[in-house]
Amino acid sequence: MKGLAELGEFGLIDQIRARFPQPVAPELGIGDDAALLSPSAGSQVVVSTDLLAEGVHFDLGFGPARLLGRKSLAVNLSDIASMGAVPRWFFLSLAIPAGFPLETIEGLLDGLAEQAAEYGCILAGGDTCGSKSGLVISVTIMGEQRPELILKRSGAVLDDEVWVSGSLGDSALGLQLLMEGKRLGQSDDYLMQRQLDPTPRCDLGRKLAEAGLVNAMIDISDGLLADLGHIGEQSGCGAEIQLGQLLLSPAFQAYAANQHAFPWQLAVSGGEDYELCFTAPVCNHGAIQKISKTTGIPLTVIGKITSSRQVQAILPDGTNFQPSASGYTHF
């Protein structure tokens, strides 16, 4: 089998191009010095970028390379979802160590292509280079939405309800299990799958934005407390959340039942949930519940926006929860 060195940089680029058909091609995409892209009439471009470094963001021993490819795009799609936008194009850059297995790169590309096709996102370009350490994956994504519909972190209003999609803590618990040596194919597959193959809430984010029901929104990547704190910082407010109202999956609850203390830290600070946290006026409660039913995604009110400039978490017994850390930080 031909290795990466034999394939060469341009051979790799040809393999990448072959995996990403372009049913609606950009004006100028892969193969030139730069891409030419035009958003739909009346739309504004929404751009986000994420970098995944081996040993920091992922461990190649945790699961198939295909799932890493899916996750590499999913984390960017989640950013587009949190703005209420529609994903359109993405750019992929890879820094690859010498002697890296070609089959791992092929699996990674297969997963990226699957995810791109699922969400209608077109590969428009990128770059490849060598790496002196581990594999590095950088994805820049571009979406679009009408300017008046784009959701930001800065729109929360006093007494807004705080909502969260889906269940929290599964991904953080899945990572913990993987670090303990468990792998897919065992009884904790659901939890590990949430870590290795998260689901971006693109359809939900767009529907919330286009319904005009939400004041502020963010995706939960660093942990609920940290990310809700970002809304507070940008909106000049705080929040009070009731931990007893959090939706926790049956798998998470089964794990928690066997612990000496309930693992609230995983649920509110573990990160990588890639669910949406948003604030909305109380009068929009019923309309948001209807969107929950039509999308099939649970949406739960967990608290309210306050004037405190802090995020306060209340335990089911009425006492304050004191986290050891509000969320993930690199530095």
Side-chain angles (χ1 to χ4, degrees):
M1 180 182 293
K2 183 181 290 188
L4 188 57
E6 294 175 274
L7 186 66
E9 180 181 4
F10 295 105
L12 176 59
I13 292 171
D14 287 340
Q15 282 217 9
I16 293 172
R17 193 200 317 256
R19 279 176 166 78
F20 294 89
Q22 300 188 343
V24 183
E27 285 84 348
L28 187 64
I30 299 172
D32 221 295
D33 289 320
L36 300 178
L37 310 171
S38 297
S40 302
S43 291
Q44 193 167 19
V45 176
V46 179
V47 184
S48 181
T49 189
D50 274 290
L51 185 150
L52 302 180
E54 185 178 357
V56 178
H57 300 93
F58 64 89
D59 184 321
L60 288 166
F62 283 174
R66 182 182 66 83
L67 296 187
L68 176 59
R70 289 179 58 83
K71 184 172 182 177
S72 299
L73 187 54
V75 301
N76 287 265
L77 287 164
S78 184
D79 287 330
I80 296 298
S82 73
M83 305 290 285
V86 179
R88 289 288 308 276
W89 308 283
F90 74 102
F91 295 80
L92 170 67
S93 294
L94 298 171
I96 307 171
F100 198 82
L102 179 57
E103 58 267 28
T104 301
I105 295 297
E106 290 174 337
L108 174 78
L109 294 174
D110 287 342
L112 273 159
E114 282 179 19
Q115 198 78 295
E118 187 173 341
Y119 290 91
C121 200
I122 297 169
L123 179 65
D127 194 16
T128 58
C129 71
S131 170
K132 296 293 186 182
S133 53
L135 177 67
V136 179
I137 307 162
S138 178
V139 174
T140 296
I141 195 167
M142 305 176 74
E144 62 180 17
Q145 185 54 278
R146 299 205 311 273
E148 70 273 16
L149 297 180
I150 293 173
L151 294 169
K152 303 173 185 177
R153 301 176 180 183
S154 56
V157 175
L158 184 65
D159 294 328
D160 271 1
E161 291 181 319
V162 176
W163 293 75
V164 169
S165 69
S167 59
L168 302 186
D170 297 325
S171 178
L173 179 50
L175 177 59
Q176 180 177 300
L177 295 172
L178 288 163
M179 293 178 70
E180 291 172 358
K182 294 194 175 182
R183 294 294 181 265
L184 291 173
Q186 301 177 9
S187 59
D188 296 305
D189 265 13
Y190 172 80
L191 296 168
M192 290 182 283
Q193 200 80 24
R194 286 291 303 269
Q195 162 61 211
L196 296 172
D197 189 14
T199 301
R201 301 300 193 184
C202 293
D203 184 54
L204 173 64
R206 178 185 60 81
K207 286 182 176 176
L208 288 169
E210 294 178 354
L213 301 172
V214 173
N215 286 331
M217 189 154 69
I218 192 170
D219 74 322
I220 304 175
S221 55
D222 295 328
L224 173 64
L225 296 184
D227 290 317
L228 183 53
H230 295 326
I231 287 181
E233 290 164 11
Q234 295 295 315
S235 299
C237 61
E240 179 182 284
I241 61 172
Q242 301 292 329
L243 297 188
Q245 294 178 18
L246 292 182
L247 178 61
L248 304 172
S249 71
F252 187 97
Q253 293 183 60
Y255 170 86
N258 294 317
Q259 303 305 302
H260 175 69
F262 198 90
W264 290 114
Q265 187 73 27
L266 288 173
V268 299
S269 302
E272 292 200 294
D273 297 296
Y274 298 108
E275 296 291 351
L276 297 178
C277 175
F278 58 93
T279 80
V282 176
C283 61
N284 291 343
H285 187 102
I288 292 171
Q289 285 183 320
K290 288 182 181 178
I291 289 180
S292 177
K293 290 180 180 178
T294 59
T295 59
I297 299 170
L299 299 176
T300 308
V301 174
I302 61 167
K304 64 180 181 179
I305 293 297
T306 67
S307 59
S308 68
R309 298 296 182 101
Q310 297 177 357
V311 176
Q312 186 178 18
I314 310 299
L315 289 162
D317 65 6
T319 61
N320 287 342
F321 173 66
Q322 300 295 333
S324 57
S326 62
Y328 182 80
T329 177
H330 284 280
F331 305 108

